[in-house]
Amino acid sequence: MDLNGQLRASILAQNLPYPSTTFLNSLITARSPPPPLPSLVATAKARLLAADITNSTLINTASLQSLPPDADSPESRERRLPRPVHVQVLDVENISLSRWEQVEEMEAVARGETTRGREVVRVTAEDDDNPETQQTQQRATTAAAANARTASKKATHRLVVQDCKGTKLYALELKRIDGIGVGKTQIGEKMLLKAGTVLARGIVLLEPEKCVLLGGKIEAWQKTWADGRLARLKEEIRQNEQQQAS
């Protein structure tokens, strides 16, 4: 098998999106002699995971499987994917928390505050040289981390995912998947939905044994999402309050 074939086989063995021939050739011919195969695979993986699967020239989109044509319809009956489908993440939300709880959590982090039980501890630069304050901060941080781990195990996340044809669906954790979470899951991250994954009323039901988290992110998307997330949450709260008042 030539180097091009070896590189393609190594990429596909990692469940990555199908690379285009042009992309593989550009990697191999960029240097003479070409880098070792492991180096080529690592470079290809990083670039594929940072690409948009809907229109990137790095990916052979014609070789990717897409979601069923009516997968996003709330009227569609329950079914299972007949073959694996690559998707990318456009949004992630912990629906175990209310909108206000999500806002309060983000604002507290932005202010440099953590919680210990019911006590709010503010972390400031002036406290850095105070040993007693440092101990308080350390205890608070440890407690907050423990609380976060406990909450994470019980959390349920809802994602928005997109396939190679641009179809967008909600994806809901049917069972907890450790690699999914706000702060863990990146926007543009790639996932492989295995054959047998359940679709029900326009929603992908995620289970650990049917979902492969491939990693990656699209930097511009991640920044836009992170910068606007707090504003979006507050706007949703405002709209809900208006609806309840009417």
Side-chain angles (χ1 to χ4, degrees):
M1 185 183 296
D2 62 8
L3 184 55
N4 190 303
Q6 293 178 53
L7 179 55
R8 188 188 308 276
S10 298
I11 290 170
L12 297 181
Q14 297 187 40
N15 293 313
L16 296 170
Y18 207 99
S20 68
T21 300
T22 303
F23 171 50
L24 296 184
N25 288 338
S26 69
L27 286 179
I28 293 171
T29 59
R31 285 170 50 187
S32 182
L37 181 60
S39 177
L40 288 172
V41 172
T43 300
K45 178 178 180 179
R47 294 185 62 184
L48 288 169
L49 293 180
D52 180 353
I53 63 172
T54 65
N55 61 15
S56 175
T57 57
L58 307 185
I59 297 172
N60 184 351
T61 54
S63 297
L64 295 182
Q65 299 296 330
S66 60
L67 294 164
D70 62 342
D72 56 348
S73 171
E75 305 300 324
S76 60
R77 59 186 179 83
E78 182 176 313
R79 75 185 83 176
R80 294 181 181 272
L81 290 179
R83 56 187 65 85
V85 176
H86 285 92
V87 295
Q88 56 194 6
V89 177
L90 302 184
D91 190 25
V92 56
E93 178 185 1
N94 181 356
I95 60 174
S96 303
L97 300 178
S98 69
R99 292 288 191 271
W100 268 121
E101 286 173 328
Q102 294 178 53
V103 168
E104 290 170 351
E105 180 182 45
M106 293 185 68
E107 289 181 336
V109 171
R111 291 193 301 267
E113 293 177 355
T114 56
T115 59
R116 183 183 63 205
R118 295 188 177 183
E119 179 183 357
V120 176
V121 180
R122 182 179 293 276
V123 181
T124 63
E126 290 81 0
D127 295 330
D128 287 348
D129 297 327
N130 187 323
E132 184 176 345
T133 302
Q134 288 177 350
Q135 291 178 2
T136 300
Q137 292 173 4
Q138 185 175 3
R139 289 195 298 270
T141 301
T142 302
N147 291 338
R149 285 194 296 271
T150 301
S152 177
K153 292 178 181 178
K154 298 179 180 179
T156 299
H157 295 88
R158 183 177 64 186
L159 287 66
V160 176
V161 297
Q162 181 183 47
D163 72 359
C164 62
K165 291 186 176 180
T167 301
K168 300 175 185 178
L169 288 181
Y170 281 122
L172 184 68
E173 281 183 309
L174 192 60
K175 297 179 182 177
R176 185 73 184 97
I177 300 174
D178 289 339
I180 292 178
V182 177
K184 289 183 179 179
T185 304
Q186 303 294 308
I187 306 306
E189 180 171 337
K190 307 300 182 288
M191 300 169 57
L192 180 67
L193 306 177
K194 294 183 178 180
T197 297
V198 176
L199 297 176
R201 297 187 178 276
I203 298 175
V204 180
L205 302 182
L206 299 176
E207 300 178 83
E209 60 272 16
K210 293 296 183 182
C211 175
V212 181
L213 304 180
L214 300 174
K217 68 176 175 179
I218 298 177
E219 290 286 354
W221 294 5
Q222 174 67 24
K223 185 177 187 306
T224 299
W225 178 86
D227 290 346
R229 185 165 184 264
L230 187 58
R232 289 194 301 273
L233 286 171
K234 289 184 175 181
E235 177 60 20
E236 289 174 7
I237 291 171
R238 186 187 66 79
Q239 291 178 358
N240 288 339
E241 289 176 343
Q242 287 181 343
Q243 290 175 358
Q244 292 173 2
S246 60

